[in-house]
PDB file of all heavy atoms in Angstrom:
ATOM      1  N   TRP Y 198     -63.022  89.388-271.349  1.00  0.00           N
ATOM      2  CA  TRP Y 198     -62.982  88.966-272.758  1.00  0.00           C
ATOM      3  C   TRP Y 198     -62.160  87.707-272.954  1.00  0.00           C
ATOM      4  O   TRP Y 198     -61.034  87.643-272.449  1.00  0.00           O
ATOM      5  CB  TRP Y 198     -62.348  90.096-273.575  1.00  0.00           C
ATOM      6  CG  TRP Y 198     -62.276  89.895-275.062  1.00  0.00           C
ATOM      7  CD1 TRP Y 198     -63.250  89.424-275.878  1.00  0.00           C
ATOM      8  CD2 TRP Y 198     -61.160  90.208-275.908  1.00  0.00           C
ATOM      9  NE1 TRP Y 198     -62.811  89.436-277.183  1.00  0.00           N
ATOM     10  CE2 TRP Y 198     -61.535  89.905-277.230  1.00  0.00           C
ATOM     11  CE3 TRP Y 198     -59.881  90.733-275.673  1.00  0.00           C
ATOM     12  CZ2 TRP Y 198     -60.686  90.098-278.319  1.00  0.00           C
ATOM     13  CZ3 TRP Y 198     -59.032  90.921-276.759  1.00  0.00           C
ATOM     14  CH2 TRP Y 198     -59.439  90.608-278.058  1.00  0.00           C
ATOM     15  N   MET Y 199     -62.727  86.729-273.668  1.00  0.00           N
ATOM     16  CA  MET Y 199     -61.866  85.673-274.200  1.00  0.00           C
ATOM     17  C   MET Y 199     -61.360  86.189-275.532  1.00  0.00           C
ATOM     18  O   MET Y 199     -62.135  86.300-276.506  1.00  0.00           O
ATOM     19  CB  MET Y 199     -62.620  84.352-274.396  1.00  0.00           C
ATOM     20  CG  MET Y 199     -61.692  83.177-274.765  1.00  0.00           C
ATOM     21  SD  MET Y 199     -61.110  83.207-276.454  1.00  0.00           S
ATOM     22  CE  MET Y 199     -59.333  83.172-276.241  1.00  0.00           C
ATOM     23  N   GLY Y 200     -60.096  86.484-275.568  1.00  0.00           N
ATOM     24  CA  GLY Y 200     -59.518  86.981-276.805  1.00  0.00           C
ATOM     25  C   GLY Y 200     -58.065  87.342-276.577  1.00  0.00           C
ATOM     26  O   GLY Y 200     -57.605  87.448-275.439  1.00  0.00           O
ATOM     27  N   GLY Y 201     -57.338  87.489-277.675  1.00  0.00           N
ATOM     28  CA  GLY Y 201     -55.948  87.882-277.590  1.00  0.00           C
ATOM     29  C   GLY Y 201     -55.052  86.760-277.104  1.00  0.00           C
ATOM     30  O   GLY Y 201     -55.465  85.602-276.952  1.00  0.00           O
ATOM     31  N   SER Y 202     -53.817  87.128-276.849  1.00  0.00           N
ATOM     32  CA  SER Y 202     -52.826  86.157-276.389  1.00  0.00           C
ATOM     33  C   SER Y 202     -51.601  86.929-275.919  1.00  0.00           C
ATOM     34  O   SER Y 202     -51.275  87.981-276.471  1.00  0.00           O
ATOM     35  CB  SER Y 202     -52.438  85.237-277.550  1.00  0.00           C
ATOM     36  OG  SER Y 202     -51.409  84.366-277.177  1.00  0.00           O
ATOM     37  N   THR Y 203     -50.919  86.399-274.910  1.00  0.00           N
ATOM     38  CA  THR Y 203     -49.615  86.988-274.564  1.00  0.00           C
ATOM     39  C   THR Y 203     -48.538  86.370-275.449  1.00  0.00           C
ATOM     40  O   THR Y 203     -47.400  86.841-275.459  1.00  0.00           O
ATOM     41  CB  THR Y 203     -49.242  86.736-273.091  1.00  0.00           C
ATOM     42  OG1 THR Y 203     -49.109  85.319-272.895  1.00  0.00           O
ATOM     43  CG2 THR Y 203     -50.279  87.282-272.133  1.00  0.00           C
ATOM     44  N   ASP Y 204     -48.898  85.295-276.143  1.00  0.00           N
ATOM     45  CA  ASP Y 204     -47.922  84.573-276.972  1.00  0.00           C
ATOM     46  C   ASP Y 204     -48.260  84.787-278.455  1.00  0.00           C
ATOM     47  O   ASP Y 204     -48.424  85.897-278.879  1.00  0.00           O
ATOM     48  CB  ASP Y 204     -47.935  83.084-276.623  1.00  0.00           C
ATOM     49  CG  ASP Y 204     -47.666  82.844-275.141  1.00  0.00           C
ATOM     50  OD1 ASP Y 204     -46.920  83.644-274.543  1.00  0.00           O
ATOM     51  OD2 ASP Y 204     -48.206  81.877-274.597  1.00  0.00           O
ATOM     52  N   ARG Y 205     -48.412  83.688-279.156  1.00  0.00           N
ATOM     53  CA  ARG Y 205     -48.692  83.795-280.580  1.00  0.00           C
ATOM     54  C   ARG Y 205     -50.182  83.629-280.840  1.00  0.00           C
ATOM     55  O   ARG Y 205     -50.961  83.530-279.889  1.00  0.00           O
ATOM     56  CB  ARG Y 205     -47.839  82.776-281.325  1.00  0.00           C
ATOM     57  CG  ARG Y 205     -46.354  83.071-281.136  1.00  0.00           C
ATOM     58  CD  ARG Y 205     -45.472  82.144-281.889  1.00  0.00           C
ATOM     59  NE  ARG Y 205     -45.481  82.377-283.318  1.00  0.00           N
ATOM     60  CZ  ARG Y 205     -44.709  83.250-283.963  1.00  0.00           C
ATOM     61  NH1 ARG Y 205     -43.866  84.011-283.276  1.00  0.00           N
ATOM     62  NH2 ARG Y 205     -44.764  83.370-285.270  1.00  0.00           N
ATOM     63  N   GLY Y 206     -50.591  83.644-282.110  1.00  0.00           N
ATOM     64  CA  GLY Y 206     -52.007  83.628-282.447  1.00  0.00           C
ATOM     65  C   GLY Y 206     -52.516  82.266-282.858  1.00  0.00           C
ATOM     66  O   GLY Y 206     -51.808  81.263-282.755  1.00  0.00           O
ATOM     67  N   ASN Y 207     -53.792  82.249-283.321  1.00  0.00           N
ATOM     68  CA  ASN Y 207     -54.354  80.999-283.836  1.00  0.00           C
ATOM     69  C   ASN Y 207     -55.077  81.185-285.170  1.00  0.00           C
ATOM     70  O   ASN Y 207     -55.689  80.244-285.672  1.00  0.00           O
ATOM     71  CB  ASN Y 207     -55.287  80.340-282.800  1.00  0.00           C
ATOM     72  CG  ASN Y 207     -56.502  81.186-282.477  1.00  0.00           C
ATOM     73  OD1 ASN Y 207     -56.624  82.322-282.927  1.00  0.00           O
ATOM     74  ND2 ASN Y 207     -57.399  80.627-281.674  1.00  0.00           N
ATOM     75  N   ILE Y 208     -55.010  82.420-285.704  1.00  0.00           N
ATOM     76  CA  ILE Y 208     -55.615  82.646-287.023  1.00  0.00           C
ATOM     77  C   ILE Y 208     -54.619  83.353-287.926  1.00  0.00           C
ATOM     78  O   ILE Y 208     -54.718  83.340-289.142  1.00  0.00           O
ATOM     79  CB  ILE Y 208     -56.932  83.454-286.886  1.00  0.00           C
ATOM     80  CG1 ILE Y 208     -57.760  83.398-288.160  1.00  0.00           C
ATOM     81  CG2 ILE Y 208     -56.667  84.887-286.485  1.00  0.00           C
ATOM     82  CD1 ILE Y 208     -59.183  83.895-288.002  1.00  0.00           C
ATOM     83  N   ALA Y 209     -53.652  83.983-287.289  1.00  0.00           N
ATOM     84  CA  ALA Y 209     -52.511  84.608-287.958  1.00  0.00           C
ATOM     85  C   ALA Y 209     -51.337  84.409-286.989  1.00  0.00           C
ATOM     86  O   ALA Y 209     -51.562  84.137-285.804  1.00  0.00           O
ATOM     87  CB  ALA Y 209     -52.780  86.090-288.183  1.00  0.00           C
ATOM     88  N   PRO Y 210     -50.113  84.538-287.477  1.00  0.00           N
ATOM     89  CA  PRO Y 210     -48.988  84.220-286.581  1.00  0.00           C
ATOM     90  C   PRO Y 210     -49.067  84.921-285.225  1.00  0.00           C
ATOM     91  O   PRO Y 210     -48.766  84.317-284.198  1.00  0.00           O
ATOM     92  CB  PRO Y 210     -47.769  84.679-287.386  1.00  0.00           C
ATOM     93  CG  PRO Y 210     -48.190  84.498-288.807  1.00  0.00           C
ATOM     94  CD  PRO Y 210     -49.660  84.833-288.843  1.00  0.00           C
ATOM     95  N   LEU Y 211     -49.541  86.181-285.221  1.00  0.00           N
ATOM     96  CA  LEU Y 211     -49.545  86.913-283.950  1.00  0.00           C
ATOM     97  C   LEU Y 211     -50.939  87.320-283.493  1.00  0.00           C
ATOM     98  O   LEU Y 211     -51.065  88.094-282.546  1.00  0.00           O
ATOM     99  CB  LEU Y 211     -48.653  88.154-284.063  1.00  0.00           C
ATOM    100  CG  LEU Y 211     -47.155  87.859-284.233  1.00  0.00           C
ATOM    101  CD1 LEU Y 211     -46.375  89.159-284.360  1.00  0.00           C
ATOM    102  CD2 LEU Y 211     -46.611  87.043-283.057  1.00  0.00           C
ATOM    103  N   ALA Y 212     -51.978  86.835-284.151  1.00  0.00           N
ATOM    104  CA  ALA Y 212     -53.333  87.286-283.781  1.00  0.00           C
ATOM    105  C   ALA Y 212     -54.241  86.119-283.432  1.00  0.00           C
ATOM    106  O   ALA Y 212     -54.334  85.141-284.177  1.00  0.00           O
ATOM    107  CB  ALA Y 212     -53.955  88.091-284.918  1.00  0.00           C
ATOM    108  N   GLU Y 213     -54.920  86.275-282.301  1.00  0.00           N
ATOM    109  CA  GLU Y 213     -55.975  85.334-281.895  1.00  0.00           C
ATOM    110  C   GLU Y 213     -57.253  85.706-282.670  1.00  0.00           C
ATOM    111  O   GLU Y 213     -57.470  86.876-283.019  1.00  0.00           O
ATOM    112  CB  GLU Y 213     -56.169  85.464-280.366  1.00  0.00           C
ATOM    113  CG  GLU Y 213     -57.229  84.570-279.770  1.00  0.00           C
ATOM    114  CD  GLU Y 213     -58.634  85.105-279.938  1.00  0.00           C
ATOM    115  OE1 GLU Y 213     -58.795  86.350-280.005  1.00  0.00           O
ATOM    116  OE2 GLU Y 213     -59.570  84.296-280.003  1.00  0.00           O
ATOM    117  N   ALA Y 214     -58.145  84.722-282.872  1.00  0.00           N
ATOM    118  CA  ALA Y 214     -59.287  84.927-283.784  1.00  0.00           C
ATOM    119  C   ALA Y 214     -60.217  86.067-283.370  1.00  0.00           C
ATOM    120  O   ALA Y 214     -60.615  86.880-284.214  1.00  0.00           O
ATOM    121  CB  ALA Y 214     -60.076  83.626-283.912  1.00  0.00           C
ATOM    122  N   ASN Y 215     -60.606  86.155-282.099  1.00  0.00           N
ATOM    123  CA  ASN Y 215     -61.566  87.197-281.697  1.00  0.00           C
ATOM    124  C   ASN Y 215     -60.963  88.597-281.840  1.00  0.00           C
ATOM    125  O   ASN Y 215     -61.690  89.567-282.089  1.00  0.00           O
ATOM    126  CB  ASN Y 215     -62.031  86.975-280.250  1.00  0.00           C
ATOM    127  CG  ASN Y 215     -62.897  85.743-280.110  1.00  0.00           C
ATOM    128  OD1 ASN Y 215     -63.459  85.253-281.088  1.00  0.00           O
ATOM    129  ND2 ASN Y 215     -62.989  85.223-278.888  1.00  0.00           N
ATOM    130  N   ALA Y 216     -59.653  88.692-281.664  1.00  0.00           N
ATOM    131  CA  ALA Y 216     -58.974  89.977-281.866  1.00  0.00           C
ATOM    132  C   ALA Y 216     -58.828  90.269-283.356  1.00  0.00           C
ATOM    133  O   ALA Y 216     -59.008  91.404-283.808  1.00  0.00           O
ATOM    134  CB  ALA Y 216     -57.613  89.955-281.187  1.00  0.00           C
ATOM    135  N   TYR Y 217     -58.545  89.233-284.115  1.00  0.00           N
ATOM    136  CA  TYR Y 217     -58.289  89.387-285.553  1.00  0.00           C
ATOM    137  C   TYR Y 217     -59.543  89.797-286.317  1.00  0.00           C
ATOM    138  O   TYR Y 217     -59.479  90.595-287.254  1.00  0.00           O
ATOM    139  CB  TYR Y 217     -57.765  88.055-286.079  1.00  0.00           C
ATOM    140  CG  TYR Y 217     -57.378  88.045-287.527  1.00  0.00           C
ATOM    141  CD1 TYR Y 217     -56.101  88.438-287.931  1.00  0.00           C
ATOM    142  CD2 TYR Y 217     -58.280  87.614-288.498  1.00  0.00           C
ATOM    143  CE1 TYR Y 217     -55.739  88.404-289.258  1.00  0.00           C
ATOM    144  CE2 TYR Y 217     -57.921  87.586-289.833  1.00  0.00           C
ATOM    145  CZ  TYR Y 217     -56.650  87.982-290.208  1.00  0.00           C
ATOM    146  OH  TYR Y 217     -56.306  87.946-291.537  1.00  0.00           O
ATOM    147  N   VAL Y 218     -60.707  89.246-285.914  1.00  0.00           N
ATOM    148  CA  VAL Y 218     -61.947  89.535-286.642  1.00  0.00           C
ATOM    149  C   VAL Y 218     -62.264  91.031-286.594  1.00  0.00           C
ATOM    150  O   VAL Y 218     -62.673  91.620-287.584  1.00  0.00           O
ATOM    151  CB  VAL Y 218     -63.129  88.705-286.063  1.00  0.00           C
ATOM    152  CG1 VAL Y 218     -64.471  89.208-286.573  1.00  0.00           C
ATOM    153  CG2 VAL Y 218     -62.954  87.238-286.420  1.00  0.00           C
ATOM    154  N   ASP Y 219     -62.052  91.662-285.434  1.00  0.00           N
ATOM    155  CA  ASP Y 219     -62.385  93.087-285.333  1.00  0.00           C
ATOM    156  C   ASP Y 219     -61.396  93.819-284.420  1.00  0.00           C
ATOM    157  O   ASP Y 219     -61.724  94.222-283.302  1.00  0.00           O
ATOM    158  CB  ASP Y 219     -63.828  93.262-284.828  1.00  0.00           C
ATOM    159  CG  ASP Y 219     -64.368  94.650-285.167  1.00  0.00           C
ATOM    160  OD1 ASP Y 219     -63.537  95.542-285.459  1.00  0.00           O
ATOM    161  OD2 ASP Y 219     -65.589  94.848-285.139  1.00  0.00           O
ATOM    162  N   PRO Y 220     -60.172  94.037-284.919  1.00  0.00           N
ATOM    163  CA  PRO Y 220     -59.164  94.702-284.081  1.00  0.00           C
ATOM    164  C   PRO Y 220     -59.550  96.123-283.699  1.00  0.00           C
ATOM    165  O   PRO Y 220     -59.238  96.589-282.599  1.00  0.00           O
ATOM    166  CB  PRO Y 220     -57.891  94.694-284.926  1.00  0.00           C
ATOM    167  CG  PRO Y 220     -58.216  94.050-286.221  1.00  0.00           C
ATOM    168  CD  PRO Y 220     -59.646  93.601-286.212  1.00  0.00           C
ATOM    169  N   GLU Y 221     -60.250  96.811-284.611  1.00  0.00           N
ATOM    170  CA  GLU Y 221     -60.636  98.205-284.299  1.00  0.00           C
ATOM    171  C   GLU Y 221     -61.592  98.232-283.102  1.00  0.00           C
ATOM    172  O   GLU Y 221     -61.524  99.142-282.260  1.00  0.00           O
ATOM    173  CB  GLU Y 221     -61.281  98.878-285.521  1.00  0.00           C
ATOM    174  CG  GLU Y 221     -60.311  99.270-286.631  1.00  0.00           C
ATOM    175  CD  GLU Y 221     -59.788  98.087-287.429  1.00  0.00           C
ATOM    176  OE1 GLU Y 221     -60.411  97.001-287.373  1.00  0.00           O
ATOM    177  OE2 GLU Y 221     -58.740  98.245-288.094  1.00  0.00           O
ATOM    178  N   ALA Y 222     -62.495  97.241-283.043  1.00  0.00           N
ATOM    179  CA  ALA Y 222     -63.421  97.184-281.905  1.00  0.00           C
ATOM    180  C   ALA Y 222     -62.651  96.908-280.607  1.00  0.00           C
ATOM    181  O   ALA Y 222     -62.886  97.564-279.585  1.00  0.00           O
ATOM    182  CB  ALA Y 222     -64.468  96.095-282.141  1.00  0.00           C
ATOM    183  N   ALA Y 223     -61.733  95.969-280.652  1.00  0.00           N
ATOM    184  CA  ALA Y 223     -60.945  95.658-279.450  1.00  0.00           C
ATOM    185  C   ALA Y 223     -60.145  96.874-279.013  1.00  0.00           C
ATOM    186  O   ALA Y 223     -60.034  97.173-277.812  1.00  0.00           O
ATOM    187  CB  ALA Y 223     -60.029  94.470-279.735  1.00  0.00           C
ATOM    188  N   ASP Y 224     -59.614  97.588-279.979  1.00  0.00           N
ATOM    189  CA  ASP Y 224     -58.846  98.800-279.682  1.00  0.00           C
ATOM    190  C   ASP Y 224     -59.714  99.832-278.972  1.00  0.00           C
ATOM    191  O   ASP Y 224     -59.325 100.407-277.943  1.00  0.00           O
ATOM    192  CB  ASP Y 224     -58.295  99.357-281.008  1.00  0.00           C
ATOM    193  CG  ASP Y 224     -57.503 100.629-280.811  1.00  0.00           C
ATOM    194  OD1 ASP Y 224     -56.625 100.649-279.934  1.00  0.00           O
ATOM    195  OD2 ASP Y 224     -57.775 101.616-281.528  1.00  0.00           O
ATOM    196  N   GLN Y 225     -60.923 100.040-279.485  1.00  0.00           N
ATOM    197  CA  GLN Y 225     -61.834 101.017-278.855  1.00  0.00           C
ATOM    198  C   GLN Y 225     -62.180 100.613-277.429  1.00  0.00           C
ATOM    199  O   GLN Y 225     -62.222 101.448-276.527  1.00  0.00           O
ATOM    200  CB  GLN Y 225     -63.120 101.138-279.656  1.00  0.00           C
ATOM    201  CG  GLN Y 225     -62.971 101.958-280.925  1.00  0.00           C
ATOM    202  CD  GLN Y 225     -64.325 102.171-281.615  1.00  0.00           C
ATOM    203  OE1 GLN Y 225     -65.373 102.177-280.968  1.00  0.00           O
ATOM    204  NE2 GLN Y 225     -64.301 102.340-282.913  1.00  0.00           N
ATOM    205  N   VAL Y 226     -62.427  99.341-277.231  1.00  0.00           N
ATOM    206  CA  VAL Y 226     -62.808  98.885-275.891  1.00  0.00           C
ATOM    207  C   VAL Y 226     -61.637  99.059-274.927  1.00  0.00           C
ATOM    208  O   VAL Y 226     -61.802  99.517-273.788  1.00  0.00           O
ATOM    209  CB  VAL Y 226     -63.299  97.416-275.941  1.00  0.00           C
ATOM    210  CG1 VAL Y 226     -63.517  96.863-274.545  1.00  0.00           C
ATOM    211  CG2 VAL Y 226     -64.590  97.321-276.760  1.00  0.00           C
ATOM    212  N   LEU Y 227     -60.449  98.736-275.387  1.00  0.00           N
ATOM    213  CA  LEU Y 227     -59.277  98.880-274.506  1.00  0.00           C
ATOM    214  C   LEU Y 227     -58.967 100.335-274.180  1.00  0.00           C
ATOM    215  O   LEU Y 227     -58.367 100.631-273.145  1.00  0.00           O
ATOM    216  CB  LEU Y 227     -58.061  98.226-275.155  1.00  0.00           C
ATOM    217  CG  LEU Y 227     -57.828  96.802-274.664  1.00  0.00           C
ATOM    218  CD1 LEU Y 227     -56.912  96.055-275.589  1.00  0.00           C
ATOM    219  CD2 LEU Y 227     -57.288  96.781-273.239  1.00  0.00           C
ATOM    220  N   ARG Y 228     -59.359 101.235-275.058  1.00  0.00           N
ATOM    221  CA  ARG Y 228     -59.122 102.663-274.784  1.00  0.00           C
ATOM    222  C   ARG Y 228     -60.180 103.256-273.859  1.00  0.00           C
ATOM    223  O   ARG Y 228     -60.050 104.393-273.425  1.00  0.00           O
ATOM    224  CB  ARG Y 228     -59.098 103.462-276.095  1.00  0.00           C
ATOM    225  CG  ARG Y 228     -57.862 103.227-276.926  1.00  0.00           C
ATOM    226  CD  ARG Y 228     -57.978 103.968-278.250  1.00  0.00           C
ATOM    227  NE  ARG Y 228     -56.983 103.513-279.186  1.00  0.00           N
ATOM    228  CZ  ARG Y 228     -55.734 103.985-279.246  1.00  0.00           C
ATOM    229  NH1 ARG Y 228     -55.375 104.951-278.443  1.00  0.00           N
ATOM    230  NH2 ARG Y 228     -54.874 103.500-280.117  1.00  0.00           N
ATOM    231  N   SER Y 229     -61.237 102.501-273.571  1.00  0.00           N
ATOM    232  CA  SER Y 229     -62.274 103.029-272.666  1.00  0.00           C
ATOM    233  C   SER Y 229     -61.785 102.901-271.221  1.00  0.00           C
ATOM    234  O   SER Y 229     -60.778 102.256-270.949  1.00  0.00           O
ATOM    235  CB  SER Y 229     -63.574 102.254-272.843  1.00  0.00           C
ATOM    236  OG  SER Y 229     -63.506 101.021-272.155  1.00  0.00           O
ATOM    237  N   ASP Y 230     -62.545 103.498-270.325  1.00  0.00           N
ATOM    238  CA  ASP Y 230     -62.152 103.436-268.909  1.00  0.00           C
ATOM    239  C   ASP Y 230     -62.751 102.237-268.189  1.00  0.00           C
ATOM    240  O   ASP Y 230     -62.588 102.094-266.979  1.00  0.00           O
ATOM    241  CB  ASP Y 230     -62.614 104.711-268.182  1.00  0.00           C
ATOM    242  CG  ASP Y 230     -61.806 105.904-268.635  1.00  0.00           C
ATOM    243  OD1 ASP Y 230     -60.657 105.703-269.074  1.00  0.00           O
ATOM    244  OD2 ASP Y 230     -62.343 107.028-268.575  1.00  0.00           O
ATOM    245  N   VAL Y 231     -63.475 101.409-268.915  1.00  0.00           N
ATOM    246  CA  VAL Y 231     -64.151 100.282-268.251  1.00  0.00           C
ATOM    247  C   VAL Y 231     -63.105  99.234-267.856  1.00  0.00           C
ATOM    248  O   VAL Y 231     -62.250  98.877-268.676  1.00  0.00           O
ATOM    249  CB  VAL Y 231     -65.194  99.656-269.203  1.00  0.00           C
ATOM    250  CG1 VAL Y 231     -65.890  98.480-268.530  1.00  0.00           C
ATOM    251  CG2 VAL Y 231     -66.206 100.697-269.643  1.00  0.00           C
ATOM    252  N   PRO Y 232     -63.152  98.749-266.622  1.00  0.00           N
ATOM    253  CA  PRO Y 232     -62.202  97.696-266.222  1.00  0.00           C
ATOM    254  C   PRO Y 232     -62.259  96.514-267.192  1.00  0.00           C
ATOM    255  O   PRO Y 232     -63.347  96.094-267.605  1.00  0.00           O
ATOM    256  CB  PRO Y 232     -62.701  97.298-264.826  1.00  0.00           C
ATOM    257  CG  PRO Y 232     -63.427  98.498-264.325  1.00  0.00           C
ATOM    258  CD  PRO Y 232     -64.053  99.148-265.532  1.00  0.00           C
ATOM    259  N   PHE Y 233     -61.088  96.019-267.551  1.00  0.00           N
ATOM    260  CA  PHE Y 233     -60.999  95.031-268.644  1.00  0.00           C
ATOM    261  C   PHE Y 233     -60.102  93.873-268.236  1.00  0.00           C
ATOM    262  O   PHE Y 233     -58.992  94.079-267.737  1.00  0.00           O
ATOM    263  CB  PHE Y 233     -60.414  95.731-269.875  1.00  0.00           C
ATOM    264  CG  PHE Y 233     -60.423  94.891-271.129  1.00  0.00           C
ATOM    265  CD1 PHE Y 233     -61.539  94.835-271.943  1.00  0.00           C
ATOM    266  CD2 PHE Y 233     -59.307  94.154-271.497  1.00  0.00           C
ATOM    267  CE1 PHE Y 233     -61.551  94.069-273.102  1.00  0.00           C
ATOM    268  CE2 PHE Y 233     -59.310  93.381-272.654  1.00  0.00           C
ATOM    269  CZ  PHE Y 233     -60.432  93.344-273.461  1.00  0.00           C
ATOM    270  N   THR Y 234     -60.607  92.661-268.448  1.00  0.00           N
ATOM    271  CA  THR Y 234     -59.791  91.461-268.201  1.00  0.00           C
ATOM    272  C   THR Y 234     -59.691  90.676-269.496  1.00  0.00           C
ATOM    273  O   THR Y 234     -60.709  90.433-270.158  1.00  0.00           O
ATOM    274  CB  THR Y 234     -60.434  90.579-267.103  1.00  0.00           C
ATOM    275  OG1 THR Y 234     -60.451  91.320-265.887  1.00  0.00           O
ATOM    276  CG2 THR Y 234     -59.627  89.300-266.888  1.00  0.00           C
ATOM    277  N   MET Y 235     -58.487  90.289-269.832  1.00  0.00           N
ATOM    278  CA  MET Y 235     -58.253  89.526-271.069  1.00  0.00           C
ATOM    279  C   MET Y 235     -57.858  88.093-270.729  1.00  0.00           C
ATOM    280  O   MET Y 235     -56.868  87.863-270.047  1.00  0.00           O
ATOM    281  CB  MET Y 235     -57.128  90.204-271.861  1.00  0.00           C
ATOM    282  CG  MET Y 235     -56.720  89.447-273.102  1.00  0.00           C
ATOM    283  SD  MET Y 235     -55.327  90.237-273.956  1.00  0.00           S
ATOM    284  CE  MET Y 235     -54.181  88.864-273.995  1.00  0.00           C
ATOM    285  N   CYS Y 236     -58.675  87.141-271.202  1.00  0.00           N
ATOM    286  CA  CYS Y 236     -58.341  85.720-271.062  1.00  0.00           C
ATOM    287  C   CYS Y 236     -57.920  85.224-272.437  1.00  0.00           C
ATOM    288  O   CYS Y 236     -58.779  84.900-273.276  1.00  0.00           O
ATOM    289  CB  CYS Y 236     -59.536  84.920-270.556  1.00  0.00           C
ATOM    290  SG  CYS Y 236     -60.167  85.483-268.958  1.00  0.00           S
ATOM    291  N   GLY Y 237     -56.632  85.225-272.692  1.00  0.00           N
ATOM    292  CA  GLY Y 237     -56.132  84.909-274.032  1.00  0.00           C
ATOM    293  C   GLY Y 237     -55.734  83.449-274.187  1.00  0.00           C
ATOM    294  O   GLY Y 237     -55.875  82.622-273.272  1.00  0.00           O
ATOM    295  N   LEU Y 238     -55.195  83.159-275.364  1.00  0.00           N
ATOM    296  CA  LEU Y 238     -54.826  81.770-275.681  1.00  0.00           C
ATOM    297  C   LEU Y 238     -53.814  81.200-274.691  1.00  0.00           C
ATOM    298  O   LEU Y 238     -53.808  79.994-274.430  1.00  0.00           O
ATOM    299  CB  LEU Y 238     -54.215  81.704-277.089  1.00  0.00           C
ATOM    300  CG  LEU Y 238     -55.114  82.114-278.253  1.00  0.00           C
ATOM    301  CD1 LEU Y 238     -54.323  82.047-279.556  1.00  0.00           C
ATOM    302  CD2 LEU Y 238     -56.345  81.227-278.316  1.00  0.00           C
TER     303      LEU Y 238
END
Side-chain angles (χ1 to χ4, degrees):
W198 183 45
M199 188 285 124
S202 175
T203 63
D204 304 328
R205 298 182 72 86
N207 63 354
I208 195 167
L211 293 179
E213 180 279 331
N215 291 340
Y217 183 86
V218 167
D219 200 342
E221 286 73 18
D224 179 49
Q225 283 186 28
V226 172
L227 264 163
R228 288 175 194 275
S229 79
D230 290 334
V231 179
F233 187 85
T234 297
M235 175 183 124
C236 301
L238 298 177

